Amino acid sequence: MSNRWNRFINGESVESEVTPSIYRSWQRSIEFQVDHRLITNQDILSKPRLNERREAQESLIRAGGTVLPYIFSLLGSNKYTVLLCDNEGYIIEATGDDSFMSKAQKVYLSPGASWREEIRGTNAIGTALRDNAPISVFGWEHFVRENHFLACWAAPIQNTAGAPLGVIDISGDAAEDREKILRIARMGASMIEKNLQLLELQDQLEFYQEGAKLASSLLNQGFLAIDRNGIITNINSLGAALLGRKEEEIIGQLAADIFSSPKGWMLSGRSLNLKIKNSYGNEISSHLKQVINDKGYSLGAVGTLQVTTEPSAVSNNTLWVGHGQHTQQTLARASKVAATHSSVLIHGESGTGKEIIAQTIHQLSPRRDGPFIALNCASLSSSLVESELFGYVEGAFTGARRGGKPGKFELADKGTIFLDEIGDMPLNVQVALLRALQEREVCRIGDTKTKKIDVRVIAASHKDLSALVASDRFRLDLYYRLKVVTLELPPLRERLEDIRDLVPHFIHKASTSFGIQVIGIQEEVYPYLLAQKWPGNVRELENCIESMVALAEGPILTVADLPEEFKQSGTKTEPEPLLEQQTKHAILYALTQTKGKIAPAAKLLGIGRNTLYRRMKEMDIQI
């Protein structure tokens, strides 16, 4: 317990010895008559009232749904909890270490409790809301003595006007490191804010249909919105980066001034491609579609930005990154599949890029101008999957939206629907899906009318569907309906040569998203990355690079920026393992450069063919 806190409680002046924001909060806590000795159980919501508050904050919870576990994964330690709070300081979501969360619950740091300053005194959640600014509150800085075991970091989640919508909080045992974790909290708040903006974009100005079509691609491509007067009203960070400029330099400008296009471009039709060369010499193209309201008036246009690629140049695809032999084989097969209208079943471990390859097939197919709609069957309860797939009419069930809602199949008409984790689909929904595939028509829940659809189905799973069929957990007839063409995606451990392509791609993506100037990575880092087994595959590698970028000390990533477990696994023994990894990488590089030919690869390495064969066998390198 700090002597400064004791002296303040006893009426002494310690203003010059305490952070101003903490001191002002202490003073407010006195004014609020908060008991400094112990935490109280005031203002804790009952379960029904908590559910009501969660329903009222549906958008905030949706925006933070994937962010909280991701932020927890960045912390590198289990002794934390990550909390999402609304703008009144009520905790509405929590994730983290079970043992610490049990400890935190003893002081009511759990869902349903309000942590406004008026109730809990000085604390990160309440003070961040009060000051509308990020803050860390350590140990004795908490006004209530029972909270002195906590170290807390919080950042407000703001709307576009800067008003607080809620707070993301990281809490753990009292520790010394303030700045890095506060940066992570601020990054989490920024991610939630961007997710909220995306949700708002989908709902406003009758952009619903086009927003649904683009939703799956916004995170992987540049996004552009232009109003009816030709003024750019929105562009995401990736889109701005593709143009080689900052978002604030583009928003508010005439599209004709940014692109080489006539000023009357909005009069030329409902679809338009604009082109420009960025500062790197790359040609950037856009695909825009006008959004028309029900009265026939143009509201503007929305679309994507990407580096221009030739349709036949599969190796230059902007979605799937890599140049290795496995990648070339995968993309070549995807290109052939794309030319057909057949259903496709993709199998691969979690994180191998099943949705990315599905998007690639869609973009290379004749349906490329149609929508690409994705649905994760494992993310929804059995009662929701059917309504998401086929939609419903008004009054179909309690809580049904007025006017009803189209299902994913309707939204995907003339395009592609991607059903991820199809193995988790309930049997009753499998029956309805089979009928839709056979009859090429859907019927909304609660309706008697059917609607014809023209949709290509791409399904994916990390499970063995044939084993599920054998155990009567997946329908045999649906299995063969989906399994017209199959694609098996290789895990990252079998395409290690692609790591040197993936790492710069993820560095650029993360640094652009976070607004951090990270431009490269030291060569010494690669042996550590090549030494990993990557059970989480490409998704795990991306998370690793995002973490390094977020916590980087300078513009170049170094070994010091690696997560601790990566440094340990890469240096378990003296230098032999590191030498082995460098040797393995050299062999993989040589094989890649010579397209898998042994003799030229051995010549490039300066060794004999028999030596190369022996080293490949020892290192389990297959071609």
Side-chain angles (χ1 to χ4, degrees):
M1 188 181 302
S2 168
N3 183 46
R4 282 169 280 185
W5 179 84
N6 265 331
R7 288 161 51 205
F8 175 82
I9 294 300
N10 291 327
E12 296 182 34
S13 176
V14 294
E15 182 174 3
S16 62
E17 304 173 46
V18 180
T19 304
S21 57
I22 298 295
Y23 185 78
R24 289 193 300 269
S25 179
W26 280 0
Q27 290 181 313
R28 290 194 297 268
S29 300
I30 292 290
E31 294 172 5
F32 296 143
Q33 297 182 351
V34 177
D35 189 341
H36 68 273
R37 294 166 299 181
L38 50 87
I39 199 75
T40 64
N41 61 354
Q42 297 179 48
D43 207 355
I44 298 177
L45 300 176
S46 63
K47 191 171 182 179
R49 288 188 59 203
L50 174 59
N51 289 337
E52 289 177 6
R53 187 165 285 270
R54 283 171 50 84
E55 288 177 7
Q57 298 293 337
E58 178 190 3
S59 295
L60 183 61
I61 291 174
R62 286 172 62 198
T66 57
V67 176
L68 264 63
Y70 173 65
I71 291 299
F72 179 67
S73 72
L74 292 181
L75 296 172
S77 169
N78 289 331
K79 296 181 180 179
Y80 292 97
T81 182
V82 184
L83 307 170
L84 180 66
C85 310
D86 67 12
N87 59 0
E88 294 184 13
Y90 286 99
I91 301 172
I92 53 177
E93 285 285 293
T95 189
D97 173 59
D98 290 338
S99 61
F100 181 79
M101 290 175 74
S102 296
K103 187 176 179 181
Q105 196 166 18
K106 294 178 181 178
V107 292
Y108 308 107
L109 189 62
S110 56
S114 172
W115 277 72
R116 303 191 310 274
E117 280 189 343
E118 293 91 329
I119 304 297
R120 313 290 172 194
T122 304
N123 69 88
I125 296 170
T127 306
L129 271 177
R130 187 85 182 193
D131 292 348
N132 196 17
I135 192 170
S136 59
V137 181
F138 274 33
W140 57 267
E141 292 177 334
H142 290 87
F143 184 74
V144 179
R145 181 171 54 200
E146 283 192 342
N147 292 332
H148 284 192
F149 74 94
L150 291 170
C152 303
W153 302 260
I157 300 162
Q158 301 173 328
N159 63 16
T160 53
L165 300 173
V167 167
I168 185 171
D169 171 85
I170 301 171
S171 293
D173 288 320
E176 297 180 359
D177 189 359
R178 284 178 180 257
E179 291 304 318
K180 281 192 175 181
I181 298 184
L182 188 59
R183 284 175 62 186
I184 294 177
R186 294 174 65 181
M187 180 182 71
S190 175
M191 293 169 71
I192 293 174
E193 288 167 356
K194 289 185 181 297
N195 286 346
L196 283 169
Q197 291 172 17
L198 177 59
L199 292 172
E200 183 180 357
L201 176 64
Q202 291 174 330
D203 291 334
Q204 67 183 198
L205 295 177
E206 299 181 32
F207 273 30
Y208 176 82
Q209 186 175 3
E210 294 300 323
K213 292 178 182 178
L214 291 167
S216 61
S217 64
L218 291 185
L219 297 178
N220 300 307
Q221 296 179 330
F223 171 73
L224 181 70
I226 304 174
D227 70 12
R228 69 184 71 186
N229 299 313
I231 295 175
I232 297 173
T233 58
N234 196 7
I235 188 168
N236 67 0
S237 56
L238 183 53
L242 285 173
L243 298 178
R245 302 173 71 172
K246 296 180 180 179
E247 294 171 65
E248 56 267 26
E249 295 174 349
I250 298 174
I251 294 175
Q253 300 295 314
L254 282 168
D257 293 338
I258 301 296
F259 296 91
S260 301
S261 61
K263 300 214 175 201
W265 63 269
M266 287 298 290
L267 303 176
S268 61
R270 292 199 174 191
S271 182
L272 180 73
N273 287 325
L274 305 175
K275 292 184 178 181
I276 188 175
K277 280 194 175 182
N278 64 12
S279 57
Y280 303 106
N282 299 319
E283 188 175 82
I284 308 300
S285 67
S286 72
H287 182 71
L288 298 171
K289 284 190 176 181
Q290 281 195 3
V291 179
I292 309 296
N293 66 13
D294 55 2
K295 295 181 180 179
Y297 296 120
S298 172
L299 299 176
V302 293
T304 57
L305 293 171
Q306 57 270 318
V307 177
T308 301
T309 57
E310 294 293 332
S312 60
V314 177
S315 61
N316 291 330
N317 188 275
T318 59
L319 295 177
W320 185 280
V321 177
H323 70 277
Q325 186 175 10
H326 282 297
T327 286
Q328 297 308 310
Q329 292 173 349
T330 299
L331 290 176
R333 187 169 173 83
S335 179
K336 291 179 181 179
V337 170
T340 72
H341 296 283
S342 302
S343 297
V344 182
L345 181 60
I346 303 172
H347 181 264
E349 297 176 8
S350 293
T352 49
K354 294 186 285 294
E355 182 168 353
I356 295 296
I357 205 69
Q359 289 179 332
T360 300
I361 292 172
H362 172 73
Q363 290 193 358
L364 294 175
S365 76
R367 297 173 177 267
R368 67 177 66 89
D369 292 331
F372 178 89
I373 302 296
L375 177 67
N376 189 319
C377 301
S379 67
L380 298 171
S381 64
S382 58
S383 61
L384 289 178
V385 174
E386 191 168 2
S387 65
E388 284 292 317
L389 280 173
F390 307 117
Y392 55 82
V393 296
E394 182 176 340
F397 49 81
T398 302
R401 181 185 297 177
R402 179 177 295 177
K405 178 184 177 183
K408 301 298 186 185
F409 268 98
E410 286 186 57
L411 294 174
D413 192 34
K414 301 297 188 296
T416 303
I417 188 169
F418 174 61
L419 302 177
D420 199 7
E421 301 305 344
I422 190 77
D424 292 297
M425 179 175 285
L427 284 169
N428 64 306
V429 183
Q430 292 180 32
V431 175
L433 175 60
L434 178 63
R435 183 186 180 283
L437 296 180
Q438 289 174 334
E439 305 298 331
R440 294 188 176 274
E441 63 182 22
V442 294
C443 180
R444 294 190 186 185
I445 295 174
D447 202 355
T448 58
K449 299 177 183 177
T450 60
K451 180 178 181 179
K452 288 293 184 181
I453 54 168
D454 175 17
V455 177
R456 188 202 195 142
V457 177
I458 301 178
S461 178
H462 73 280
K463 295 180 179 180
D464 184 350
L465 292 188
S466 61
L468 294 181
V469 170
S471 61
D472 294 327
R473 288 183 290 166
F474 200 86
R475 292 182 62 93
L476 179 63
D477 44 8
L478 178 59
Y479 175 59
Y480 283 112
R481 176 69 65 171
L482 295 172
K483 189 192 172 188
V484 178
V485 179
T486 59
L487 280 178
E488 186 74 29
L489 298 191
L492 183 56
R493 61 183 174 275
E494 293 180 6
R495 46 182 288 232
L496 290 175
E497 64 271 25
D498 286 341
I499 284 181
R500 287 183 173 270
D501 298 311
L502 290 163
V503 168
H505 172 73
F506 291 143
I507 289 175
H508 175 74
K509 183 178 177 181
S511 60
T512 300
S513 176
F514 302 155
I516 299 174
Q517 292 295 322
V518 175
I519 59 175
I521 187 168
Q522 282 186 343
E523 178 65 27
E524 290 79 4
V525 179
Y526 281 106
Y528 290 87
L529 300 178
L530 292 166
Q532 305 303 312
K533 297 297 183 184
W534 299 111
N537 293 294
V538 178
R539 185 183 297 121
E540 183 184 1
L541 175 62
E542 180 174 10
N543 289 346
C544 170
I545 298 303
E546 282 191 21
S547 171
M548 293 174 70
V549 171
L551 303 177
E553 298 293 346
I556 302 295
L557 298 182
T558 68
V559 173
D561 296 315
L562 279 165
E564 202 59 40
E565 64 270 21
F566 283 63
K567 287 186 277 190
Q568 292 172 357
S569 63
T571 57
K572 287 182 178 176
T573 56
E574 292 304 317
E576 288 79 10
L578 187 58
L579 179 60
E580 289 294 307
Q581 291 303 323
Q582 291 173 329
T583 303
K584 185 174 184 178
H585 172 68
I587 293 174
L588 288 169
Y589 177 77
L591 289 169
T592 300
Q593 294 298 308
T594 59
K595 298 182 178 179
K597 296 178 181 178
I598 297 296
K603 183 177 180 180
L604 185 62
L605 291 165
I607 59 177
R609 284 188 298 172
N610 290 338
T611 301
L612 178 55
Y613 274 121
R614 177 172 56 81
R615 296 298 285 163
M616 289 172 62
K617 184 176 181 180
E618 291 171 353
M619 296 181 174
D620 194 27
I621 297 175
Q622 300 177 356
I623 59 172

